[in-house]
């Protein structure tokens, strides 16, 4: 029996020597801004307007001259004349003079002659007059013209992965369309003699394909196009033919299963036949996800993900998603932790491997605790129960209960 040796890589190697070498799509399309979530901005965008376009009040209260409130207190209020009212959305057509105040709502324009706003809570109205019981300084409670964004400012950098905050900013500036890189297209091939479709009843020792269909849905949620193009039996020739068939029409090929080194694990052998440079790494120093295959055929990335559902799930997040983001033209492609959580139990580490442990998070006494869900990589149930994973870095001998750990939310 031929047993292949694996070319192992650390997580760091994979990001710096594989993912970072993956090229990005160059074709650009123009989209409605509202359709652009999870897409990647294809050009730097500069603002054509100032934000805000006028001095605006940040509170409900009275616009006035700060100087007129000097020394004011509840026992010695400053008495000002109410000159007029500012209406929201309307440019005030009157000016304030010293000794006068104007009612202004939150978001209303500051009238000429005023330089601050005192909150209504610190005032008392008396007919045509208002008592000011607290001094304000110049600029207080005022958002100045162009303080947020100046015309000509770069508001989005090429390579930005667009989130709702970006869409909100674009809409605020009236930018109804945006240029983005076209969607990356992924082909997913499932493998295994024992695999049946999820809607079929498996015989004893058969398994439903839960991995590839879930992956398609998950990838599409992240702004890519994914097709589960075929299922192939454990046969090197069929896998090679299938890979050859789909290689040119997609930006990335993912093969699910058969990534290990058993005699019937053909993924690595079929990939190697496709062309150069071939397999860059076969094996990651991580658990789960160890037998992942990282290959490049010409400039096209091909990934072999382990078939075990948990390993498949973790590899998709830590290896596949970064490759997809890089292909899509995103500047940031390495996964960032969502934050830190406190471990509820000791978690031992695995010697010589970066360890991702599924956890359930619990919010207690103002802190976020993580309950480790120990199980095998073949267990599907605990992916469903987990809120995410914690990472135990290479060389760290486990993390004790009460200590902080990096947390990646699913
Ligand atoms: N001698 C060794 N054996 C194994 C090693 C090793 O280092 N030496 N590594 C183990 C690890 S770790 C993993 S992970 C698995 C990965 O194996 P493969 O990628 O070759 O996956 P398969 O053998 O095809 O399947 C494993 C398991 O997953 C089920 N599976 C496969 N595809 C799907 C699917 N689409 N949906 C749901 N479940 C699927 C399959 O039926 C198997 O039960 O290798 C270890 N072995
Ligand atoms: O590394 Mo495997 O991916 O333990 O299950």
């Amino acid at each position: 029996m031929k047993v292949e040796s694996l070319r192992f890589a650390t997580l760091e190697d994979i990001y710096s020597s594989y993912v970072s070498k993956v090229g990005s799509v160059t074709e650009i399309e123009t989209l409605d801004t509202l359709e652009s979530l999870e897409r990647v901005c294809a050009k730097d965008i500069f603002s054509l307007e100032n934000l805000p376009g006028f001095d605006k009040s940040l509170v409900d209260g009275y616009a006035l001259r700060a100087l007129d409130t000097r020394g004011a207190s509840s026992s010695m209020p400053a008495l000002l004349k109410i000159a007029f009212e500012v209406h929201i959305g309307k440019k005030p057509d009157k000016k304030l003079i010293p000794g006068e105040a104007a009612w202004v709502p939150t978001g209303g324009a500051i009238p000429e002659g005023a330089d601050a706003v005192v909150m209504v809570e610190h005032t008392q109205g008396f007919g045509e007059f208002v008592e000011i019981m607290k001094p304000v300084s110049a600029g207080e409670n005022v958002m100045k013209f162009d303080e947020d964004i100046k015309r000509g400012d770069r508001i989005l950098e090429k390579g930005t992965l667009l989130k709702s905050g970006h869409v909100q900013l674009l809409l605020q500036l009236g930018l109804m369309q945006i240029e983005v890189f076209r969607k990356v297209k992924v082909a997913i091939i499932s493998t295994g003699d024992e695999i049946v479709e999820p809607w079929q009843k498996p015989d004893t020792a058969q398994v439903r394909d839960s991995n590839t269909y879930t992956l398609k849905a998950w990838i599409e949620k992240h702004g890519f196009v994914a097709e589960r193009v075929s299922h192939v039996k454990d046969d090197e020739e069929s896998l090679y033919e299938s890979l050859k068939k789909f290689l040119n029409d997609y930006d990335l090929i993912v093969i699910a299963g058969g990534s290990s080194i058993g005699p019937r694990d053909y993924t690595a052998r079929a990939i190697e036949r496709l062309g150069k440079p071939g397999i860059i790494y076969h094996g990651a120093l991580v658990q789960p996800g160890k037998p992942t295959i990282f290959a490049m055929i010409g400039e096209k990335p091909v990934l072999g993900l382990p078939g075990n559902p948990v390993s498949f799930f973790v590899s998709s997040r830590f290896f596949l998603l970064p490759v997809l983001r890089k292909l899509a033209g995103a500047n940031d492609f390495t996964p960032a932790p969502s934050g830190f959580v406190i471990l509820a139990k000791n978690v031992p580490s695995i010697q010589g491997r970066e360890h991702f442990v599924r956890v359930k998070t619990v919010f207690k006494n103002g802190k976020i605790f993580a309950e480790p869900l120990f199980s095998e990589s073949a267990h599907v149930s605990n992916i469903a129960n987990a809120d995410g994973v914690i990472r135990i870095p290479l060389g760290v001998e486990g993390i004790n209960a009460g200590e902080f750990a990096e947390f990646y939310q699913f």
Side-chain angles (χ1 to χ4, degrees):
M1 178 198 305
K2 182 174 179 289
V3 176
E4 306 195 12
S5 60
L6 306 188
R7 288 198 283 281
F8 280 108
T10 62
L11 207 58
E12 182 59 35
D13 292 333
I14 291 157
Y15 296 141
S16 62
S17 304
Y18 181 78
V19 187
S20 67
K21 305 259 162 68
V22 170
S24 302
V25 298
T26 50
E27 300 93 325
I28 292 174
E29 58 192 42
T30 303
L31 278 190
D32 281 354
T33 302
L34 285 173
E35 302 293 319
S36 69
L37 279 177
E38 298 296 327
R39 301 294 293 275
V40 177
C41 177
K43 290 188 179 158
D44 287 349
I45 299 179
F46 299 89
S47 178
L48 301 172
E49 295 181 10
N50 300 298
L51 262 190
F54 56 95
D55 289 352
K56 71 155 79 162
S57 176
L58 293 169
V59 296
D60 294 305
Y62 288 92
L64 38 65
R65 286 192 332 151
L67 214 57
D68 287 343
T69 67
R70 207 160 48 173
S73 65
S74 40
S75 55
M76 190 83 86
L79 191 67
L80 301 181
K81 183 169 187 301
I82 302 173
F84 54 89
E85 184 179 335
V86 173
H87 295 281
I88 192 91
K90 293 248 159 56
K91 186 171 182 250
D93 51 7
K94 290 183 200 143
K95 260 182 165 172
L96 273 190
I97 58 169
E100 284 185 345
W103 170 259
V104 63
T106 302
I110 305 290
E112 229 184 297
D115 61 4
V117 181
V118 65
M119 283 161 87
V120 65
E121 301 84 313
H122 304 134
T123 68
Q124 201 170 346
F126 283 105
E128 290 177 21
F129 291 90
V130 59
E131 282 186 345
I132 312 293
M133 289 171 293
K134 200 169 173 244
V136 279
S137 46
E140 201 166 324
N141 296 323
V142 175
M143 188 176 179
K144 297 289 287 176
F145 171 83
D146 85 7
E147 153 183 335
D148 196 358
I149 285 170
K150 293 183 179 38
R151 181 185 304 167
D153 278 356
R154 185 172 69 175
I155 52 160
L156 280 184
E157 194 184 345
K158 175 183 171 184
T160 303
L161 178 65
L162 295 162
K163 299 289 178 186
S164 61
H166 301 123
V167 169
Q168 204 166 350
L169 176 61
L170 292 165
L171 294 189
Q172 187 64 252
L173 290 164
L175 299 169
M176 299 308 293
Q177 293 199 312
I178 180 168
E179 288 178 291
V180 297
F181 289 117
R182 73 154 168 87
K183 279 192 178 189
V184 166
K185 280 170 62 187
V186 190
I188 307 165
I189 299 175
S190 88
T191 67
D193 289 343
E194 79 286 21
I195 301 296
V196 299
E197 297 293 348
W199 50 89
Q200 290 174 331
K201 178 123 183 75
D203 288 337
T204 309
Q206 288 189 325
V207 170
R208 289 195 182 94
D209 177 2
S210 60
N211 289 348
T212 62
Y213 289 99
T214 311
L215 184 69
K216 171 182 159 64
W218 181 77
I219 291 180
E220 291 193 329
K221 195 191 98 187
H222 283 86
F224 310 101
V225 175
E227 293 301 335
R228 197 272 211 173
V229 289
S230 77
H231 171 76
V232 291
K233 297 273 182 201
D234 289 321
D235 169 58
E236 184 181 323
E237 204 53 38
S238 316
L239 184 54
Y240 170 70
E241 286 303 326
S242 189
L243 283 167
K244 228 172 44 168
K245 177 170 168 199
F246 297 112
L247 193 64
N248 289 332
D249 294 340
Y250 291 85
D251 302 301
L252 167 70
I253 310 269
V254 176
I255 304 127
S259 69
S260 188
I261 52 169
R264 292 186 64 77
D265 289 328
Y266 294 111
T267 305
R269 279 175 262 170
I271 293 175
E272 279 293 24
R273 285 174 57 190
L274 283 177
K276 296 275 175 231
I279 295 176
I280 311 294
Y281 297 117
H282 184 179
L285 292 170
V286 299
Q287 153 67 29
K290 184 180 74 170
T292 306
I293 300 169
F294 303 86
M296 201 73 91
I297 307 303
E299 307 217 315
K300 192 148 298 186
V302 176
L303 286 182
L305 302 187
N308 271 335
V310 174
S311 320
F312 186 79
F313 190 79
V314 170
S315 294
S316 306
R317 274 142 190 85
F318 286 93
F319 303 136
L320 171 61
L321 189 58
V323 172
L324 286 169
R325 294 245 200 267
K326 184 66 177 34
L327 275 168
N331 295 335
D332 297 325
F333 51 83
T334 49
S338 323
F340 286 84
V341 289
I342 303 167
L343 281 188
K345 288 193 189 122
N346 293 350
V347 183
S349 73
I350 291 176
Q351 201 63 27
R353 290 215 251 166
E354 197 120 11
H355 194 183
F356 294 108
V357 182
R358 277 84 66 203
V359 294
K360 176 108 200 121
T361 51
V362 186
F363 190 68
K364 208 163 72 188
N365 301 330
K367 294 180 181 143
I368 303 171
F369 291 88
E371 288 276 353
L373 304 173
F374 298 108
S375 78
E376 295 297 330
S377 301
H379 291 178
V380 192
S381 59
N382 96 345
I383 313 177
N385 291 330
D387 296 311
V389 288
I390 56 144
R391 182 174 79 100
I392 306 183
L394 207 62
V396 173
E397 278 184 30
I399 304 183
N400 291 324
E403 291 179 345
F404 282 100
E406 248 178 43
F407 173 65
Y408 297 80
Q409 194 168 16
F410 285 161

